[in-house]
């Protein structure tokens, strides 16, 4: 077989660029990308981290993963915009559609990155760079945002390549380029190496990827068990995984929120569960899937977390169903301690086109699904705040909570 | 000669003990923090040995003949005990307890296993103020197996996790409902019994159906306010009842149907079973399309693994249909139906369908449709 050609397409500060493009298209004159700006939660409500920031913000020392509070104290004029999940999915889908014109083998790795397999088209290294340049240009012109494209013979190296200089660049990282382009990098830059592993590696005197690559594999196995093998292979650019286009994009959908005050009573907790269920339900319906497993997780003021989950007999994406199950789970597990964070997640997703009808009170189910549909329609058209449930009035709790997905593997673009 | 001591001692036939422990074991708790509930109580009385297990939901007490040497009782972990007894060679088993150790010997084997203090073992509740009726074991088995699969697994509506049992006008009826389907089955009993009903936990019924033997030997059923008791020749099973109002199952069955299809049960079942092949194990919620065209019934399913089309010659009375259903629900019912010819009734608009015998009303299965 010919050498494989794999592209890794990574959107540059995705959430921020998408938001900027969206604003420009809707009549704003300011391009967020040209000023210090960031996507993140809200300071007042003591929650949220910076999810993405503009290049000017980066220059001022704003980092992804930083708390909003920290960022604002460093740069008070920073423009903060809230995350908009629906927009991200829309942009991500648009990118995938464009890429599929070039190869059917496109894998959405996370909402802002994907892999594309171009093997077997008779493209060599130089031609692949030309092609990547053309794709990058088209994305910029047609979709309005910039991407980095990494090119190599496997997913791992392609991904490493796209992490090189940003934004709006094409990089190659073929195996013969490893000693020059990858090995001098610190190990923490390598895919799959987190803070913990990194510190452990430092302890053994391994600072660069090159040192890791040259370390005896057996020795790594002693230190890291089977993971040592993976580390060694990655450092040497070995990866055989396939680009999987039929990979289910999402395994589960969930949202969580850190509350602006400690929650100490069931009534308030219910409001948060409802606002989270609203978001989760909306997202399930947007993806046209139904979930069978509902899970609630809680974190108390001492930062201890715990969770309960339950498998319901028939999959659902109705906000009400999710909410009711969430309340039940909550009562099952809550011992009255003050809570600082709550989350609702769903799992075990199936096709949302089918509805198993009840033999008893079918009308109720139909009405609820119609209601959800109408509310979704109004919200997509006139914004999420166009219609809200009465219980949230003057409650101090946002009627939809958990703006950012916490289920796509976010890889390097988020901590 | 019988002597009183702190231990007990008896001998009995290995096969008798094997059978007894197999039955009693079903009432022992599987995973619990109360280790006493995972035990079997072995009690040597003057004239027999009593084995008892109790998981607080249901309990079984079994009497077996034995040669008693010393009376007394001991508790021992049921899984270990039954494993030992099951693996023993034939012949006579001799069991004795001393302090907290149980000695089991049989031919060339000798076990010493740890027992438990006996005073914490829960007592089997007495079933008081009870109604009573008698039914053959095989009939009861049929009643349970024909309806138990429809019992809800959903713990949020407790009452539906039970199997409804009703005695009325010379019939016993069992009903299982899980909101999306319903199974009703009846059998004849003596007309003399008073009318009454109860909801027995599904788990109890499942275990009971495994104990029942395919014989016309009768079981006596006592239904009290809170418990039910199934009395066999040498053992009894007592279970708590579920409290609350069961659904009005008769009211759920639609009265009129636009379409009635007469079909061959075996052929229909085979077709349905074949459609299950293409259902991916990770996503079991794919529906089948059932449609008619004159005298042909079409069954179709399409999943990402592939598709299946089945056609069957049938008699259709009424309008042609095109409805989607969960094929698993059909397969469950068809597996327990005995008639060769059955009726499939439904309405053209999306609504539940029923499967029933051509004549009579010994059983009825109601299945909710799937909207696409």
């Amino acid at each position: 077989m010919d050498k494989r050609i794999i592209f890794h397409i990574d959107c540059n500060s995705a959430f921020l660029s998408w938001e900027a493009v969206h604003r420009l298209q809707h009549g704003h004159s300011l391009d967020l990308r040209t000023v210090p700006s960031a996507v993140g939660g809200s300071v007042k409500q003591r929650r949220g981290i910076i999810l993405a920031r503009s290049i000017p913000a980066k220059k001022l020392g704003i980092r992804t993963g930083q708390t909003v509070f920290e960022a604002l104290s460093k740069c008070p004029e920073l423009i903060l915009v809230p995350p908009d999940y629906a927009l991200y999915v829309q942009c991500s889908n648009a990118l995938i559609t464009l890429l599929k014109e070039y190869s059917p083998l496109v894998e959405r790795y996370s909402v802002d990155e994907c892999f594309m397999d171009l093997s077997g088209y008779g493209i060599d290294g130089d031609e692949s760079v030309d092609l990547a340049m053309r794709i990058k240009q088209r994305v910029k012109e047609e979709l309005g945002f910039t991407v980095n494209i990494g090119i190599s013979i496997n997913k791992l190296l392609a991904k490493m390549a796209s992490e090189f200089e940003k934004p709006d660049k094409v990089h190659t990282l073929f195996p013969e380029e490893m000693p020059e382009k990858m090995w001098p990098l610190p190990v923490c830059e390598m895919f799959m190496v987190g803070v913990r592993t990194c510190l452990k590696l430092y302890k053994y005197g391994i600072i660069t990827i090159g040192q890791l690559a040259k370390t005896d594999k057996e020795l790594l196995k002693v230190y890291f068990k089977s993971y040592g093998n993976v580390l060694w292979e990655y450092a040497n650019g070995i990866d055989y995984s396939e680009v999987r286009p039929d990979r289910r994009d999402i395994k589960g959908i969930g949202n969580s929120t850190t509350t602006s005050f400690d929650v100490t009573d069931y009534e308030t907790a219910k409001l948060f569960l409802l606002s989270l269920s609203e978001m989760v339900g909306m997202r399930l319906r947007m993806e046209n899937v139904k979930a069978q497993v509902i899970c609630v997780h809680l974190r108390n003021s001492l930062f201890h977390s715990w969770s309960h989950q339950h498998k319901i007999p028939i999959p659902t994406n109705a906000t009400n169903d999710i909410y009711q199950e969430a309340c039940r789970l909550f009562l099952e597990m809550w011992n009255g301690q003050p809570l600082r964070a709550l989350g609702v997640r769903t799992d075990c997703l199936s096709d949302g086109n089918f509805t198993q009808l009840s033999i008893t009170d079918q009308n109720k189910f139909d009405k609820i699904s119609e209601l959800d549909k109408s509310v979704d329609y109004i919200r997509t058209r006139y914004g999420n705040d166009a219609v809200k449930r009465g219980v949230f009035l003057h409650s101090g709790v946002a009627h939809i909570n958990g703006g950012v997905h916490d289920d796509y593997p976010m890889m390097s673009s988020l901590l | 000669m019988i002597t009183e001591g702190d231990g007990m001692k008896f001998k009995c036939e290995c096969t008798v003990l094997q059978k007894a422990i197999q039955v009693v074991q079903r009432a022992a708790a599987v995973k619990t923090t109360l280790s006493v509930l995972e035990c079997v109580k072995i009690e040597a009385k003057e004239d027999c040995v009593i084995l008892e297990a109790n998981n607080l939901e249901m309990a079984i007490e079994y009497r077996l003949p034995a040669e008693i040497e010393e009376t007394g009782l001991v508790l021992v972990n049921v899984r270990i005990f039954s494993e030992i007894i099951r693996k023993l060679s034939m012949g006579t088993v001799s069991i004795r307890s001393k302090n907290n150790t149980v000695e089991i010997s049989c031919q060339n084997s000798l076990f010493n296993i740890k027992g438990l203090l006996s005073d914490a073992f829960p007592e089997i509740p007495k079933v008081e103020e009870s109604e009573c009726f008698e039914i053959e074991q095989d009939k009861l088995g049929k009643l349970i197996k024909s309806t138990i699969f429809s019992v809800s697994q959903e713990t949020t509506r407790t009452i539906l996790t039970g199997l409804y049992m009703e005695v009325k006008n010379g019939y016993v009826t069992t009903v299982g409902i899980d909101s999306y389907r319903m199974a009703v089955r009846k059998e004849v009993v003596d007309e003399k019994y008073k009318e009454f009903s109860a909801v027995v936990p599904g788990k109890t019924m499942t275990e009971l159906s495994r104990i029942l033997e395919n014989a016309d030997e009768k079981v006596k059923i006592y239904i009290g306010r809170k418990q039910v008791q199934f009395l066999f020749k040498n053992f009894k099973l007592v279970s708590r009842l579920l409290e609350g109002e069961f659904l009005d199952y008769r009211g759920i069955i639609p009265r009129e149907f636009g379409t009635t299809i007469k079909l061959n049960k075996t052929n229909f079942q085979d077709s349905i079973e074949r459609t299950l092949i293409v259902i991916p194990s990770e996503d079991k919620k794919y529906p089948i399309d059932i449609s008619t065209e004159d005298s042909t019934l079409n069954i179709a399913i399409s999943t990402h693994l592939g598709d299946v089309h089945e056609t069957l010659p049938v008699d259709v009375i009424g309008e042609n249909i095109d409805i989607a259903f969960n094929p698993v629900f059909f397969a469950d019912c068809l597996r327990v139906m005995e008639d060769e010819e059955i009726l499939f009734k439904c309405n053209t608009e999306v609504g539940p369908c029923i499967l029933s015998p051509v004549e009579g009303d010994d059983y009825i299965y109601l299945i909710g449709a799937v909207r696409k």
Side-chain angles (χ1 to χ4, degrees):
Chain A
M1 203 178 87
D2 283 347
K3 262 213 298 203
R4 292 164 76 203
I5 292 282
I6 309 289
F7 280 18
H8 178 255
I9 299 97
D10 186 16
C11 305
N12 300 130
S13 36
F15 297 174
L16 190 99
S17 332
W18 291 341
E19 184 65 40
V21 171
H22 179 73
R23 290 189 175 211
L24 289 176
Q25 283 169 352
H26 287 78
H28 284 246
S29 54
L30 175 72
D31 186 340
L32 288 173
R33 287 170 291 191
T34 60
V35 296
S37 61
V39 178
S42 118
V43 203
K44 267 188 217 128
Q45 313 208 341
R46 77 163 180 181
R47 68 203 157 106
I49 51 168
I50 302 292
L51 297 163
R53 79 293 198 224
S54 64
I55 305 279
K58 184 185 178 183
K59 289 192 179 133
L60 292 169
I62 308 297
R63 283 178 298 108
T64 307
Q66 213 167 24
T67 62
V68 170
F69 179 78
E70 233 178 293
L72 279 178
S73 42
K74 205 175 269 182
C75 172
E77 73 275 21
L78 186 73
I79 300 175
L80 268 179
V81 291
D84 179 352
Y85 179 77
L87 173 70
Y88 306 155
V89 170
Q90 208 184 332
C91 293
S92 177
N93 287 344
L95 176 66
I96 300 258
T97 311
L98 188 149
L99 293 176
K100 282 200 171 154
E101 290 177 28
Y102 296 90
S103 164
L105 294 177
V106 178
E107 172 182 339
R108 187 190 328 237
Y109 194 69
S110 73
V111 75
D112 62 346
E113 26 182 339
C114 44
F115 289 102
M116 176 158 68
D117 191 339
L118 288 156
S119 319
Y121 291 96
I123 309 172
D124 66 19
D126 292 338
E127 287 165 343
S128 67
V129 174
D130 291 344
L131 179 64
M133 294 297 270
R134 285 206 301 279
I135 293 176
K136 179 176 77 74
Q137 213 51 36
R138 271 195 66 195
V139 173
K140 198 169 165 182
E141 281 159 18
E142 294 173 28
L143 305 179
F145 54 88
T146 63
V147 294
N148 258 37
I149 300 183
I151 307 170
S152 189
I153 57 150
N154 61 38
K155 284 164 79 175
L156 170 80
L157 292 174
K159 172 144 179 65
M160 293 292 299
S162 71
E163 296 292 323
F164 297 158
E165 196 194 346
K166 291 177 180 180
D168 201 18
K169 293 279 192 305
V170 171
H171 299 285
T172 58
L173 180 56
F174 290 110
E176 59 275 16
E177 297 174 290
M178 279 196 307
E180 178 206 343
K181 290 187 175 175
M182 184 168 95
W183 287 354
L185 296 174
V187 272
C188 58
E189 302 255 314
M190 199 176 84
F191 177 47
M192 287 286 280
V193 174
V195 182
R196 299 267 170 167
T197 313
C198 192
L199 290 176
K200 219 168 161 186
L201 286 167
Y202 285 170
K203 211 173 78 190
Y204 300 127
I206 299 168
I207 312 294
T208 66
I209 299 180
Q211 287 171 329
L212 180 62
K214 296 274 180 332
T215 308
D216 186 359
K217 190 155 83 173
E218 296 308 315
L219 196 65
L220 287 172
K221 276 198 208 163
V222 173
Y223 295 147
F224 296 97
K225 308 270 164 54
S226 61
Y227 180 50
N229 208 17
V230 176
L231 284 175
W232 186 85
E233 285 191 348
Y234 281 5
N236 282 288
I238 301 167
D239 167 39
Y240 299 108
S241 60
E242 298 283 323
V243 171
R244 287 168 298 170
D246 59 347
R247 162 185 169 146
R248 219 181 181 136
D249 292 337
I250 35 174
K251 287 203 172 111
I253 285 181
N255 282 100
S256 57
T257 187
T258 299
T259 56
S260 49
F261 49 89
D262 282 350
V263 175
T264 51
D265 64 305
Y266 179 47
E267 288 308 312
T268 312
K270 265 165 66 177
L271 286 178
F272 279 104
L273 291 175
L274 179 57
S275 63
L276 289 165
S277 302
E278 282 267 19
M279 190 63 179
V280 172
M282 270 165 67
R283 289 176 54 202
L284 285 168
R285 296 189 292 274
M286 201 184 321
E287 299 283 344
N288 195 23
V289 289
K290 292 187 172 184
Q292 207 174 356
V293 170
I294 317 254
C295 173
V296 171
H297 55 95
L298 305 176
R299 181 177 300 144
N300 67 15
S301 42
L302 301 169
F303 283 88
H304 291 156
S305 330
W306 66 110
S307 68
H308 270 205
Q309 65 172 50
H310 181 65
K311 189 166 188 172
I312 54 174
I314 299 291
T316 185
N317 56 16
T319 300
N320 267 34
D321 288 356
I322 299 165
Y323 169 60
Q324 268 159 24
E325 189 55 37
C327 287
R328 203 187 61 75
L329 288 166
F330 179 85
L331 284 179
E332 195 177 280
M333 66 195 277
W334 188 50
N335 48 10
Q337 15 183 313
L339 300 171
R340 79 181 315 272
L342 297 93
V344 172
R345 45 172 305 117
T346 57
D347 244 312
C348 202
L349 305 183
S350 59
D351 194 320
N353 287 324
F354 313 131
T355 316
Q356 172 66 54
L357 302 179
S358 158
I359 53 170
T360 47
D361 35 15
Q362 189 50 50
N363 280 336
K364 197 181 99 196
F365 286 97
D366 287 352
K367 281 183 184 159
I368 284 172
S369 118
E370 279 304 311
L371 178 70
D372 278 335
K373 220 191 265 173
S374 314
V375 170
D376 286 351
Y377 177 74
I378 296 170
R379 284 179 181 159
T380 19
R381 217 161 148 188
Y382 303 104
N384 281 345
D385 296 333
V387 48
K388 57 169 96 170
R389 291 178 193 248
V391 283
F392 289 107
L393 281 177
H394 316 299
S395 66
V397 176
H399 75 112
I400 299 178
N401 239 319
V404 185
H405 35 77
D406 41 26
D407 25 53
Y408 277 106
M410 290 302 292
M411 310 283 309
S412 52
S413 47
L414 183 69
L415 287 188
Chain B
M1 195 189 85
I2 297 168
T3 54
E4 286 282 341
D6 57 345
M8 58 145 202
K9 196 175 175 190
F10 69 87
K11 278 187 191 142
C12 71
E13 270 308 302
C14 188
T15 45
V16 174
L17 192 58
Q18 278 170 349
K19 199 176 163 218
I21 192 68
Q22 224 178 359
V23 171
V24 173
Q25 191 176 199
R26 302 201 173 274
V30 179
K31 270 188 230 148
T32 170
T33 45
L34 263 176
S35 57
V36 72
L37 301 183
E38 292 175 13
C39 284
V40 56
K41 178 169 114 181
I42 308 168
E43 184 172 11
K45 291 266 199 193
E46 305 273 319
D47 53 345
C48 68
V49 165
I50 300 177
L51 298 188
E52 223 176 283
N54 190 341
N55 63 15
L56 300 182
E57 173 123 323
M58 65 182 269
I60 296 177
E61 180 197 289
Y62 198 109
R63 285 162 187 271
L64 61 153
E67 192 184 307
I68 315 291
E69 288 172 31
E70 277 173 53
T71 58
L73 63 90
V74 70
L75 299 185
V76 56
N77 181 286
V78 74
R79 246 151 303 282
I80 296 170
F81 186 70
S82 76
E83 191 82 341
I84 292 171
I85 301 302
R86 213 157 49 83
K87 294 220 161 112
L88 288 179
S89 16
M90 297 299 113
T92 307
V93 191
S94 148
I95 294 178
R96 61 189 292 182
S97 73
K98 186 106 195 181
N99 300 327
N100 269 344
T101 308
V102 184
E103 180 195 283
I104 305 161
S105 62
C106 178
Q107 294 197 18
N108 304 324
S109 319
L110 176 67
F111 284 89
N112 272 299
I113 54 173
K114 273 187 79 174
L116 227 81
L117 283 175
S118 54
D119 52 352
F121 200 76
E123 220 172 283
I124 298 182
K126 293 237 170 351
V127 182
E128 282 159 2
E129 307 164 43
S130 51
E131 300 292 342
C132 169
F133 72 98
E134 260 188 336
I135 185 169
E136 290 83 355
Q137 289 201 27
D138 56 346
K139 273 191 189 172
L140 181 59
K142 212 181 278 172
L143 280 168
I144 298 172
K145 279 184 187 127
S146 307
T147 47
I148 192 77
F149 55 82
S150 271
V151 166
S152 175
Q153 305 297 317
E154 176 61 311
T155 44
T156 45
R157 262 181 107 179
T158 321
I159 194 77
L160 295 186
T161 62
L163 192 68
Y164 176 78
M165 193 159 70
E166 175 191 74
V167 177
K168 198 176 180 179
N169 307 331
Y171 285 101
V172 186
T173 310
T174 49
V175 183
I177 303 183
D178 77 355
S179 320
Y180 305 99
R181 56 172 162 174
M182 173 170 84
V184 181
R185 164 100 206 191
K186 67 180 188 182
E187 288 285 343
V188 182
V189 285
D190 202 310
E191 275 187 40
K192 71 184 177 199
Y193 299 123
K194 263 213 319 224
E195 184 178 323
F196 65 91
S197 64
V199 184
V200 188
K203 277 186 203 142
T204 301
M205 286 309 218
T206 307
E207 294 304 339
L208 178 68
S209 73
R210 289 177 184 147
I211 294 168
L212 291 169
E213 285 179 349
N214 199 8
D216 48 12
E217 197 175 297
K218 288 194 170 172
V219 193
K220 252 194 176 159
I221 304 174
Y222 297 85
I223 296 181
R225 252 177 348 108
K226 295 202 163 159
Q227 282 94 17
V228 57
Q229 172 175 301
F230 298 88
L231 187 66
F232 293 77
K233 206 167 71 191
N234 43 6
F235 68 94
K236 65 176 183 188
L237 184 157
V238 177
S239 162
R240 75 181 177 92
L241 291 173
L242 295 181
E243 287 173 59
E245 193 78 9
F246 200 72
L247 286 180
D248 167 26
Y249 75 92
R250 290 188 180 85
I252 299 171
I253 304 169
R255 299 225 156 66
E256 281 166 28
F257 292 98
T259 309
T260 300
I261 303 161
K262 192 170 164 188
L263 36 79
N264 178 290
K265 188 229 135 187
T266 313
N267 294 345
F268 187 46
Q269 186 185 353
D270 290 348
S271 291
I272 297 282
E273 299 273 3
R274 281 192 289 265
T275 64
L276 300 180
I277 299 169
V278 295
I279 297 185
S281 53
E282 75 277 4
D283 185 359
K284 291 206 181 296
K285 301 297 184 260
Y286 281 98
I288 46 168
D289 291 314
I290 297 186
S291 60
T292 55
E293 236 175 311
D294 307 322
S295 321
T296 310
L297 182 81
N298 299 303
I299 304 169
I301 185 168
S302 174
T303 74
H304 69 78
L305 294 182
D307 41 46
V308 184
H309 291 268
E310 294 273 338
T311 51
L312 288 173
V314 292
D315 293 335
V316 183
I317 305 159
E319 294 166 75
N320 279 325
I321 54 155
D322 186 0
I323 316 180
F325 291 102
N326 180 345
V328 178
F329 288 180
F330 272 86
D332 283 344
C333 306
L334 291 164
R335 282 171 198 158
V336 295
M337 288 186 188
E338 292 140 348
D339 293 324
E340 249 328 274
E341 296 271 295
I342 55 166
L343 294 183
F344 171 51
K345 297 183 199 169
C346 52
N347 284 310
T348 36
E349 77 261 33
V350 176
C353 73
I354 65 168
L355 294 175
S356 64
V358 177
E359 273 172 34
D361 58 351
D362 280 353
Y363 54 86
I364 196 162
Y365 294 101
L366 183 69
I367 299 172
V370 169
R371 175 175 305 134
K372 297 186 32 162

